[in-house]
Amino acid sequence: MNMEENNKDYLVIEAGKSEKNYFRDIWRYRELFYFLSWRDILVRYKQTVIGVAWSIIRPILTMVVFTIIFGKIANLPSENAPYAVLVFVALLPWQFFANALQESSNSLISNANMISKIYFPRIIMPVSSMIVALVDFFISFVLLAIIMIFYKFAPSWKIVFMPLFLFLAILVSAGAGLLISALNVRYRDFRYIVPFIIQFGLYVSPVGFSSDTIPGKWRLIYSINPMVGVIDGFRWSIIGKGVEFYMPGFIISIVLTIILFVVAIIYFRKTEKTFADRI
Amino acid sequence: MNTVIRVENLGKKYLISHQRSERYVALRDVITEGTKKIVKRMVRPGSALSQTKEEFWALRNVDFEIKEGDRVGIIGRNGAGKTTILKLLSRITEPSEGRIVIKGRIASLLEVGTGFHPELTGRENIFLNGAILGMSKSEIKRKFDEIVDFAEVEKFLDTPVKRYSSGMYVRLAFAVASHLEPEILIVDEVLAVGDAKFQKKSLDKMEDVSREGRTVLFVSHNMPAIESLCSRGILLDEGNVILDTDVNTVVRSYLEKAMTDYKKIDLERRVDRHGSGKIRVIGFRVLNDDNNEVKFLQSGKNYCFEIRYKNNAKKILKNVEVSFDIYDEKNSRVLLFRTNFTNDNLDLDSSDGKICCKVNNLPLANGIYHFSVFIVYEELEVLDYITEIAYITVDGGDFFGTGSLGLPSHCKVLHKAEWYAE
Ligand SMILES: Nc1ncnc2c1ncn2[C@@H]1O[C@H](COP(=O)(O)OP(=O)(O)OP(=O)(O)O)[C@@H](O)[C@H]1O
Ligand SMILES: [Mg+2]
């Protein structure tokens, strides 16, 4: 009996050929995506009360320290906003990036058992693990609102553009997360790179200070770090007046983010079929 | 009948590295290895690079077709490639050559409880695990009560599964899995878990599934289960299909092959053993009452299980404990004879010699059994421990002395009982 192989009902698995229906498959597995995110969120907020408290305390502590060091001791300019607000607005996307990167880059390894025992489009794993970071982001956003009320500081109307910059932050995190999670399966010591990126990145990104403190001639090179564009965007949209938008740098950030993301997807798709064999 | 799975010239190649046992590499090593190679090339251009990776075909030239409603048992020794086939069919890993065409929704169960999270409650894990196995939320909701019922965990639904006993854990995991309703069900060695009662229940559930006319591919080392669940068998050996026909023929052929294979291996040269090696088991025979070697056993007769050994210590070893264990096809230990049970520890001669474990009135029922030997010196030094030293069939015999040869094969151990009615 011959099987109608061009028919949609038939699944053809062939050596070396990647699937035609990759994106349809991702759609089909969307419920698994929800459930995995749901699991991560549940576990995160269930394990300890401290876990929840931690997601509030950490950004606030960082804000306090940065405000004292950069605002009070170094006396850097604060763009018309209270220094604490300046820092916290930048901490929102930064914390999101740091958490998302941490969760997603380890997601494949820490779910090794699932990878080697069931099929699903592997990309679901690192992406769904970023959702927890997104939830943390919204908690921090509420915190920001409280801080702004405390300082009696009203956000700019440009805040409507904030989701755009959040989207950019998601792209940066997803790009880095996908790339590192895939590399992690192959070269286990990549996991040591992530804490380094996060530690180091916090100091080289304009979290504790405004990008305007960077001398003009260095500004363009400084924007090679895609998080610079994201953070500047957050400040511009939330603080508003007095914050100038440095377009060339922003364009560089966007272009590099897209390149990172595309490279990550390509590498991920190229290696994902061998994850189960190596993990 | 429609073909639902067609496998053509399927092959799967793994790279095995000889340096380390892990499957992954560390970037650090890639860098150092790479530098070494470059240095080598500079020092001695054209010299062969040290090969650390080797290709290994876990599966090769496999062809078969599965029709709708087929119940196929896949059997073979450890490492024969059974799990690999299932992984290829369920798309967990990609073939290295050949192709597979599948029609219909496949659910594969390579393990029960994949993705269970210890911190989550039973209820939460049912949903999570269901989704992982490919059920939709509404489907899980619909079957929720049935699953809970089957698993017998009502009272613990809101307890984190990390507080479950291992039995409860397995029951819940299997309950979720067994409520899958795919067109094609693929199951790997998952019934071996849980207690006997639950295994029975799981097997019954599997039988229900196969009776519903679903297509089932079932991997197991449990031959009776394979025979009762499947109608067709595929025998794999070293990555090749060597037999594909009705299940009884395949099972018989597998068991015979296992026996002859093990007979071929010279005990003296086997390396899969433990112990200091001062004593080495080098031969094994079974002798009957007339001191003749026998090839199969009968229930109720007297046998001497003779273990030949070499004494590498070259001195007399006193107070040596010997254990001779008998296992059934499922690898369960059914009988265990040990010298210290009866204060019979042996003194072994400084030269080579034989140990006889004399068993009178052999209480084994029909079936295939294998043996292991464990020799310990002064209660702490393992001298030699070797498993599967031989396979042998018990067939017939008059254990109860009634003249009737109709002995059961669905139990393992026979014993006389006295019966009363009052
Ligand atoms: N990821 C891997 N990398 C390298 N070798 C592998 C990998 N997975 C399996 N193998 C090898 O492939 C062979 C077939 O393995 P497979 O798991 O299919 O055996 P099996 O028939 O299921 O055995 P068992 O009865 O023990 O479950 C084995 O020799 C195994 O060591
Ligand atoms: Mg297996």
Side-chain angles (χ1 to χ4, degrees), chain B residues 309-324:
Chain B
Y309 67 85
K310 202 171 175 170
N311 188 334
N312 293 323
K314 301 292 177 212
K315 59 173 190 179
I316 297 173
L317 296 172
K318 283 191 188 296
N319 192 24
V320 172
E321 181 186 326
V322 182
S323 173
F324 176 69

Side-chain angles (χ1 to χ4, degrees), chain B residues 82-83 188-189 219:
Chain B
K82 304 179 295 292
T83 302
D188 197 358
E189 203 70 78
V219 166

Side-chain angles (χ1 to χ4, degrees), chain B residues 54-74:
Chain B
E54 191 187 302
E55 285 184 359
F56 162 74
W57 288 90
L59 215 58
R60 193 105 207 232
N61 300 328
V62 171
D63 290 272
F64 58 81
E65 257 184 44
I66 309 268
K67 306 253 186 235
E68 196 178 336
D70 271 1
R71 290 169 288 132
V72 184
I74 301 178

Side-chain angles (χ1 to χ4, degrees), chain A residues 66-67 69-87 206-214 235 239 242-243:
Chain A
F66 277 19
T67 305
I69 293 178
F70 293 106
K72 296 274 179 300
I73 300 176
N75 215 5
L76 294 177
S78 74
E79 322 243 14
N80 297 330
Y83 210 89
V85 173
L86 180 89
V87 170
V207 177
F209 46 87
S210 155
S211 295
D212 292 343
T213 48
I214 305 292
R235 288 217 174 104
I239 296 176
V243 181

Side-chain angles (χ1 to χ4, degrees), chain A residues 113 116-119, chain B residues 82-83 86-87 89-92 106-116 129-130 132-135 150 170-182 184-193 198 202 205-206 209 216-220:
Chain A
N113 198 38
S116 63
K117 293 298 193 307
I118 59 159
Y119 169 78
Chain B
K82 304 179 295 292
T83 302
L86 301 191
K87 282 192 175 175
L89 288 175
S90 44
R91 291 202 280 168
I92 292 164
I106 287 197
S108 63
L109 205 56
L110 265 60
E111 177 194 63
V112 291
T114 307
F116 260 44
N129 190 236
I132 285 172
L133 293 173
M135 287 192 229
F150 188 89
V170 165
R171 284 208 303 272
L172 183 65
F174 188 83
V176 182
S178 65
H179 285 79
L180 281 169
E181 282 177 349
I184 306 167
L185 181 65
I186 290 182
V187 184
D188 197 358
E189 203 70 78
V190 294
L191 301 178
V193 293
F198 191 71
S202 320
K205 183 79 193 174
M206 286 287 297
V209 170
V216 182
L217 267 76
F218 182 45
V219 166
S220 180

Side-chain angles (χ1 to χ4, degrees), chain A residues 5 10-11 13-15 19 25 31 35 46 113 116-119 122 186-189 276-277, chain B residues 6 12 23-25 27-28 87 90-93 98-102 111 124 131-132 136-137:
Chain A
E5 284 162 22
Y10 292 85
L11 173 71
I13 304 168
E14 231 165 333
E19 271 141 74
D25 239 22
E31 279 210 357
F35 271 108
K46 188 177 252 188
N113 198 38
S116 63
K117 293 298 193 307
I118 59 159
Y119 169 78
R122 306 308 189 195
R186 193 127 179 208
Y187 310 104
R188 288 301 156 103
D189 38 9
D277 300 341
Chain B
R6 194 169 68 219
K12 175 72 189 177
R23 288 170 186 164
Y24 52 84
V25 282
L27 186 63
R28 173 171 32 94
K87 282 192 175 175
S90 44
R91 291 202 280 168
I92 292 164
T93 176
R99 68 195 239 127
I100 304 170
V101 184
I102 298 169
E111 177 194 63
E124 288 159 349
I132 285 172
S136 68
K137 194 173 174 186

